[in-house]
């Protein structure tokens, strides 16, 4: 029976597909770590109290990148250069989602509007990350190779999402509600297109590695298109809602070194 669990299991069991999976994940997490570090360094004076939480966010993302590289090392596999069409972070930037890397490489202070853009972008992408890690946790929390890593990263992604909700709600109370909603909607609609394109590219690459039949590949591609259609029609609304999370100040404090995965 074809299911998300059986597809993931097939990918995990094959060295080449596992290598690509971990390499894509490590690359995206490392990029997120760099972005957050630069944003923390450039926050405007009026947002300096936010900087420690942005630093914590970036430290978590860096740690996740190290975790995926450690998973590769455990199986004796080197990382692989990821195909450009599977580079979620790069493709989002090309769509104008988030803050441009050219801006982050400079030394000019960000504006309050930039901080809203950063948090709105993070609200949308962290929802995706949280959902994906919860799916993996449901199926592989007890997996001998990736179970511990999946649980740790899933917990962190939930915290990141909570942080985005709380900070955006504070900005909404300060009078930025309409700007936040407009920015999140733009980010969400662009993100679901990029997610569809990346998912199709990843599935195509996995299919070549694993020798999937044309009917099997077609069914999986149809599933990706169906998800996109649902998200384009109504699902995007879930990515732009805001509610106070049960856990407040989820990123209050430095990353804990002993949580490092090895």
């Amino acid at each position: 029976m074809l299911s998300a669990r059986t597809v993931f299991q097939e990918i995990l069991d094959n060295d080449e597909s596992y290598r690509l999976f971990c390499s894509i994940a490590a690359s995206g997490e490392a990029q997120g770590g760099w972005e957050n570090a630069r944003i923390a360094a450039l926050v405007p004076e009026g947002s300096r109290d936010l900087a420690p939480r942005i630093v914590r966010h970036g430290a978590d993302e860096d740690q996740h990148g190290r975790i995926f590289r450690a998973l590769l090392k455990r199986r004796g596999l080197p990382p692989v250069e990821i195909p450009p069409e599977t580079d979620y972070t790069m493709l989002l930037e090309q769509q104008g989602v988030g803050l441009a890397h050219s801006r982050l490489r400079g030394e000019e202070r960000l504006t309050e509007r930039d901080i809203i853009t950063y948090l709105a972008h993070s609200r949308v992408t962290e929802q995706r990350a949280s959902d994906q890690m919860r799916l993996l946790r449901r199926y592989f929390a007890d997996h001998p190779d990736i179970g511990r890593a999946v649980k740790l990263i899933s917990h962190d992604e939930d915290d990141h999402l909570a942080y985005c909700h709380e900070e955006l709600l504070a900005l909404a109370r300060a009078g930025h509600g309409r700007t936040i909603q407009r920015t999140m909607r733009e980010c969400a609609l662009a993100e679901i297109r990029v997610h569809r394109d990346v998912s199709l590219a990843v599935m195509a690459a996995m299919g070549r590695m694993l020798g999937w039949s044309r009917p099997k590949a077609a069914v999986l591609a149809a599933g990706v298109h169906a998800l996109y259609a649902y998200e384009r029609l109504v699902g995007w609304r879930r990515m732009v809602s805001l509610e106070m999370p049960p856990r407040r100040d989820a990123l209050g404090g430095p990353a804990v070194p002993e949580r490092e995965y090895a």
Side-chain angles (χ1 to χ4, degrees):
M1 179 180 176
L2 190 60
S3 66
R5 180 171 190 158
T6 59
V7 170
F8 276 124
Q9 188 66 61
E10 196 173 355
I11 290 169
L12 295 178
D13 288 345
N14 178 277
D15 280 351
E16 286 306 304
S17 56
Y18 182 79
R19 185 183 177 203
L20 179 61
F21 168 76
C22 288
S23 295
I24 290 173
S27 174
E29 297 287 358
Q31 189 63 60
W34 176 83
E35 289 175 359
N36 278 278
R38 290 304 302 151
I39 291 166
L42 299 174
V43 291
E45 288 301 324
S47 303
R48 293 304 300 173
D49 62 324
L50 187 60
R53 294 189 287 283
I54 302 175
V55 169
R56 169 66 186 274
H57 189 180
D60 286 349
E61 302 286 1
D62 279 338
Q63 184 185 64
H64 299 169
R66 293 194 298 272
I67 287 172
F68 283 111
R69 290 192 293 273
L71 290 174
L72 284 172
K73 185 177 181 181
R74 173 178 288 183
R75 278 186 41 179
L77 300 171
V80 64
E81 185 174 350
I82 67 172
E85 62 272 19
T86 67
D87 193 332
Y88 175 78
T89 304
M90 179 190 74
L91 293 172
L92 283 175
E93 185 191 9
Q94 290 177 356
Q95 290 292 315
V97 177
L99 299 175
H101 288 183
S102 58
R103 178 78 184 278
L104 297 181
R105 292 188 189 98
E107 297 301 327
E108 182 182 353
R109 288 281 178 189
L110 300 175
T111 65
E112 187 174 51
R113 180 67 177 83
D114 291 329
I115 296 300
I116 292 172
T117 296
Y118 150 67
L119 287 169
H121 162 229
S122 296
R123 159 69 184 95
V124 170
T125 56
E126 293 297 342
Q127 182 72 62
R128 181 74 69 188
S130 176
D131 290 347
Q132 290 180 331
M133 292 309 302
R134 285 187 181 206
L135 182 66
L136 285 174
R137 187 174 66 193
R138 183 192 313 164
Y139 296 139
F140 299 108
D142 296 324
H143 191 280
D145 292 331
I146 69 168
R148 182 175 171 225
V150 163
K151 287 185 285 188
L152 187 154
I153 296 173
S154 181
H155 177 273
D156 284 350
E157 300 298 2
D158 289 347
D159 279 354
H160 299 168
L161 184 58
Y163 148 77
C164 293
H165 276 269
E166 188 172 358
E167 298 300 340
L168 285 168
L169 283 169
L171 286 166
R173 289 193 298 270
H176 300 288
R178 289 187 178 181
T179 300
I180 290 168
Q181 284 297 323
R182 183 177 65 252
T183 306
M184 285 196 300
R185 183 178 187 276
E186 292 170 355
C187 287
L189 293 177
E191 193 279 341
I192 64 174
R193 289 194 303 271
V194 170
H195 181 258
R196 175 201 59 191
D197 294 344
V198 169
S199 296
L200 290 171
V202 171
M203 286 297 102
M206 296 299 182
R208 290 190 295 271
M209 292 175 178
L210 298 169
W212 288 343
S213 66
R214 286 189 178 183
K216 181 174 181 177
V219 168
L220 291 172
V224 172
H225 284 295
L227 176 62
Y228 170 74
Y230 166 75
E231 291 187 334
R232 184 66 180 81
L233 185 64
V234 294
W236 65 270
R237 298 179 186 279
R238 178 170 172 267
M239 305 176 82
V240 302
S241 63
L242 291 175
E243 58 184 26
M244 188 58 69
R247 182 181 177 192
R248 306 288 294 274
D249 196 21
L251 297 188
V256 182
E258 55 266 29
R259 291 173 63 252
E260 184 68 61
Y261 178 90

